[in-house]
Amino acid sequence: MVAADVRLAAPRGRAGTRLEVRDVSHHFELEGKTLPVLDGVTLQAEPGELVALLGPSGCGKSTLLRLVAGLDRPRSGALLVDGTPIEGPDPSRVVVFQDPTLYPWRTVYGNVALGLEARGLLRSQRARIDDALELVGLSGFDRAYPHQLSGGMAQRAALARALVNEPSLLILDEPLGKLDSLTRISMQTELVRLWRDAGFTALLVTHDVEEALFMANRVIVFSDRPARIKAEIVVDSAYPRHRDDPYLVDLRRRLLELLGCAP
């Protein structure tokens, strides 16, 4: 399979934040028993970097994203952005989930406007909604309702809703996991374009090895639960990338071996 070209200029400056995860462990209490999920995880994402997290299903990757988003607090360890501890949610850190979770009674415009409305900024910064819709290729669909959108278009609307807040850290929890293969390839290209144009830092959870290699600067491989870091792979390949690049094919083989999926 040959990747679509991602013909991009150099990023327009780095608006991203530096993320540090320091020796983070976490567990849940389930029916009186302790369920360990993360075990001493330490990693960094530099400003403007896209880091992909790979690992077995249920190993704790999404839990780590919730901690980075400030939706939960770790049992031990620390998470920091630009040296400041994460103590709760913040508009500068936005999560895009696998399901677009659009409100069906709101238009695309109304869904994208939610963040600005909640912060009392809609009247003064309304133009940012049109800018976000244009960025994701949804200009002209502002009056459409979610049931009128394809899966890919709905996920574009969810991305616009995130981007309208101008995040410095975009947290992507398998955002393309439910799309058909052709739409997924197209959206991978669009996400790379958006990331490189805007310069935010991105943390991507995916089960797709090719997706991680196509998009990320680095790939971090986790063990089974409780998640520990098994390996960190630097993807030293310029954009645009092509999936049949021998260098990426070799990295794919190495990652599959690390994940225990090699033939």
Side-chain angles (χ1 to χ4, degrees):
M1 184 180 296
V2 180
D5 284 350
V6 189
R7 302 206 177 277
L8 302 168
R12 295 193 304 251
R14 290 307 190 186
T17 190
R18 186 173 195 270
L19 170 69
E20 297 176 80
V21 178
R22 297 180 180 173
D23 196 26
V24 166
S25 295
H26 196 65
H27 65 266
F28 297 114
E29 298 296 335
L30 192 64
E31 296 181 349
K33 297 181 180 179
T34 298
L35 180 67
V37 181
L38 301 171
D39 184 11
V41 172
T42 295
L43 61 87
Q44 296 83 35
E46 298 301 326
E49 188 177 23
L50 196 161
V51 178
L53 310 182
L54 277 176
S57 181
C59 74
K61 303 183 298 299
S62 292
T63 296
L64 179 59
L65 292 195
R66 289 185 60 85
L67 298 179
V68 172
L71 300 175
D72 293 317
R73 300 287 294 274
R75 301 287 183 169
S76 65
L79 299 99
L80 305 97
V81 286
D82 290 335
T84 301
I86 295 173
E87 297 182 342
D90 189 272
S92 66
R93 287 175 274 115
V94 181
V95 185
V96 178
F97 295 102
Q98 187 177 88
D99 293 305
T101 59
L102 302 175
Y103 289 115
W105 60 87
R106 279 181 169 249
T107 62
V108 167
Y109 188 97
N111 272 282
V112 175
L114 280 168
L116 296 180
E117 283 185 16
R119 296 160 61 195
L121 299 174
L122 182 58
R123 179 171 296 181
S124 62
Q125 301 190 26
R126 187 179 296 272
R128 282 166 54 180
I129 300 172
D130 293 326
D131 291 342
L133 289 172
E134 183 176 359
L135 274 174
V136 302
L138 284 181
S139 294
F141 289 90
D142 53 315
R143 296 185 180 181
Y145 285 88
H147 74 272
Q148 297 172 310
L149 304 178
S150 66
M153 292 171 72
Q155 197 59 283
R156 287 172 187 270
L159 281 168
R161 183 177 58 192
L163 294 172
V164 79
N165 293 298
E166 297 181 343
S168 56
L169 175 60
L170 191 62
I171 303 164
L172 301 161
D173 192 1
E174 294 192 74
L176 311 181
K178 290 189 175 180
L179 301 179
D180 66 84
S181 59
L182 292 178
T183 304
R184 184 166 187 158
I185 288 171
S186 173
M187 287 295 295
Q188 288 167 2
T189 298
E190 288 301 304
L191 270 173
V192 170
R193 177 184 64 80
L194 291 168
W195 159 63
R196 284 179 58 81
D197 279 355
F200 50 74
T201 306
L203 200 60
L204 167 70
V205 162
T206 178
H207 286 100
D208 188 323
V209 172
E210 281 191 358
E211 182 168 275
L213 292 172
F214 182 69
M215 296 178 63
N217 301 125
R218 283 187 295 127
V219 180
I220 296 175
V221 182
F222 286 98
S223 67
D224 288 313
R225 189 181 68 241
R228 304 177 184 89
I229 293 177
K230 292 178 64 175
E232 180 178 316
I233 304 293
V234 175
V235 188
D236 188 13
S237 178
Y239 299 93
R241 291 178 180 170
H242 302 271
R243 293 169 218 271
D244 58 352
D245 181 340
Y247 171 71
L248 296 182
V249 171
D250 181 62
L251 285 185
R252 178 179 182 274
R253 186 180 303 112
R254 289 172 59 192
L255 285 171
L256 289 173
E257 289 174 354
L258 286 166
L259 293 166
C261 301

